[in-house]
Amino acid sequence: MTGEGQTSDIGLIGLAVMGQNLALNVAEKGFKISVFNRSADKTDACVARAQKEGLGGNLAGFKEMKDFVASLERPRRVIILVKAGAPVDATIEALSEYMEEGDIIIDGGNEWYENTERRQAALKGKGIIEIGMGVSGGEEGARRGPAMMPGGDADAYKYLAPIVEKVAAQTDDGACVTYIGPGGSGNFVKMVHNGIEYGDMQLIAEAYDLLKTVGGLSNEELAAVFDEWNKSELESFLVEITASIFKKKDEYADGFLVDKVLDKTGMKVRGRGWRLLLSSDDRRRRRRRGFHPAGLVCGGGRLRRPKNVVGRPSKRISAYGFEP
C-alpha cells in the first residue's frame, strides 16, 4: 500500500534483499512498518512483495523522506540497513533533518563499533538516540528470524524490544536477541561473532583439505564423515551444510559441484579484518602505556618482567622473538 494515512510502529530504510526481508518479517509479526529507499523502484518492489505475500496492510512505502518520518509513531524508531561507512552517515544526516528529540535510529548493518560511538555522540546534541544492532542470519534469517545484538542507550532499547523480540529467531530458551550494553557494544559483539564464524569455516576448509588430499577420501566419504560429526558435539549449521555440499552433483556436467569450485577465497573486513585491526591497535595502545601484551614492561630497549611477576630473567627482543 502507499503511505497515505498510515501510522507505523517502526520504519526501515534500505531495501536491498536483506532490508526487504526484514521489513516483511516485521509486517508478518503484526507490526505496521513504513519503508523508504533512495531509489524509488526498490520501494515499489518491496510494496509489491508485501501485497503478494498478503502483508500489504502492514507495510507502507514512501518516496519522500519527510513523509516517511511523519508516518511513524513517537518516539520514532527507524532501522537503517545500508552499506557501512559513508552511506550510513549520509542516511543519518538526511533522516535526522526530520527527526526530533527522543527519536531512535537503529543501524542494523555491519558497522565498525567506533563509527557507531562517533555517531551516537554527534546525535546526542540533537537529542536523537542511535542504537548499533548486529543482525546475523543473512537474507533468509532476516525473513524468517535473525539473531540480533543491539547496543546503545538502555532506556531507548525498551522501545525497540517488543518488536525485535518477536522478529528474532525463536528457540526453547527464548528469542535470539538481548540487550548487549552501552555504546557500540552491539556492533562489537557482531564483529567478534563474524570472526568466530570465519574461523570455524577456515577449520572446516582445512579439515576437508587434509581428509581429501592426505586421507584420499572421496566426496561420498567426506559427506559421511561430516554427517557423523554433525551428530556429535560438533553439531552446527556450518558442519551440516558442508556435508550437503559434498553430496551436490553438477547439474550441467559429470561429477560433483565442489570439484568445480575455484580454490580461492577472499576476506571481508567486517569479520577477521576488523578483529585483526582491533588486536593490532590494542597492542599499540598498551605498548604506548608501557606494557607489552605478554605482561612485560618495556624500557631501555629491553623487555623486563614487572617485579610482582615470577619467572625467568628478562631477555632482549629481536625481530624474530626473544634472544637470551
Side-chain angles (χ1 to χ4, degrees):
M1 63 179 287
T2 58
E4 296 180 6
Q6 169 156 329
T7 302
S8 294
D9 302 301
I10 194 167
L12 188 144
I13 297 176
L15 296 174
V17 178
M18 188 86 171
Q20 282 194 30
N21 283 358
L22 187 61
L24 292 169
N25 185 352
V26 172
E28 188 175 57
K29 298 304 187 295
F31 299 101
K32 291 191 179 297
I33 182 169
S34 296
V35 298
F36 174 86
N37 196 81
R38 185 179 60 177
S39 54
D41 58 326
K42 289 187 177 179
T43 303
D44 292 336
C46 186
V47 170
R49 275 190 68 189
Q51 292 171 343
K52 184 177 180 180
E53 296 184 26
L55 301 171
N58 283 344
L59 187 145
F62 292 84
K63 304 294 178 67
E64 300 293 335
M65 181 75 80
K66 182 178 180 180
D67 297 333
F68 164 78
V69 173
S71 73
L72 303 173
E73 284 186 353
R74 297 288 308 275
R76 301 181 182 96
R77 293 155 287 184
V78 178
I79 297 173
I80 298 175
L81 278 173
V82 301
K83 187 178 179 180
V88 175
D89 287 318
T91 302
I92 289 177
E93 183 178 0
L95 182 60
S96 59
E97 184 178 341
Y98 303 105
M99 297 187 83
E100 300 175 89
E101 184 174 352
D103 290 345
I104 305 163
I105 296 173
I106 305 103
D107 181 6
N110 283 298
E111 184 57 275
W112 175 239
Y113 77 102
E114 289 183 346
N115 284 342
T116 297
E117 293 179 346
R118 168 179 59 79
R119 294 175 186 130
Q120 288 170 340
L123 289 168
K124 189 175 181 180
K126 300 179 181 180
I128 300 171
I129 303 162
E130 184 188 8
I131 288 176
M133 183 174 72
V135 180
S136 179
E139 297 170 1
E140 187 66 19
R143 182 65 185 88
R144 303 301 172 191
M148 292 183 280
M149 294 146 261
D153 187 283
D155 290 331
Y157 176 67
K158 295 174 184 177
Y159 292 101
L160 182 63
I163 297 175
V164 296
E165 286 175 359
K166 284 192 175 182
V167 169
Q170 305 295 315
T171 72
D172 293 339
D173 297 323
C176 290
V177 59
T178 190
Y179 172 70
I180 300 296
S185 57
N187 296 121
F188 189 95
V189 168
K190 179 57 163 50
M191 173 188 67
V192 175
H193 162 95
N194 285 343
I196 293 169
E197 184 177 39
Y198 297 160
D200 284 345
M201 289 190 286
Q202 178 67 26
L203 287 170
I204 288 172
E206 292 184 14
Y208 159 73
D209 188 49
L210 285 170
L211 291 171
K212 186 175 182 68
T213 60
V214 179
L217 273 63
S218 66
N219 288 321
E220 292 95 336
E221 291 170 326
L222 284 164
V225 169
F226 276 79
D227 276 333
E228 189 64 28
W229 284 353
N230 202 45
K231 297 174 185 176
S232 69
E233 64 271 15
L234 298 178
E235 180 186 5
S236 70
F237 173 71
L238 291 175
V239 173
E240 178 186 351
I241 63 173
T242 301
S244 299
I245 289 169
F246 294 136
K247 301 171 188 175
K248 178 70 175 177
K249 294 288 187 67
D250 189 337
E251 297 177 3
Y252 304 100
D254 294 334
F256 289 87
L257 186 61
V258 67
D259 297 324
K260 314 294 177 63
V261 178
L262 185 65
D263 187 15
K264 182 179 180 181
T265 188
M267 180 178 71
K268 289 184 177 180
V269 70
R270 66 193 185 198
R272 288 172 57 200
W274 276 347
R275 287 178 64 243
L276 290 171
L277 176 64
L278 178 69
S279 298
S280 175
D281 188 55
D282 184 56
R283 283 196 295 270
R284 286 196 298 270
R285 284 198 298 265
R286 284 190 279 180
R287 284 187 176 121
R288 285 198 298 268
R289 292 198 302 267
F291 291 94
H292 184 271
L296 301 175
V297 181
C298 300
R302 300 175 65 84
L303 294 178
R304 64 181 188 277
R305 294 181 181 276
K307 293 179 180 179
N308 61 341
V309 176
V310 177
R312 294 176 297 173
S314 62
K315 296 181 178 181
R316 186 174 297 277
I317 191 169
S318 74
Y320 303 99
F322 291 107
E323 295 177 349

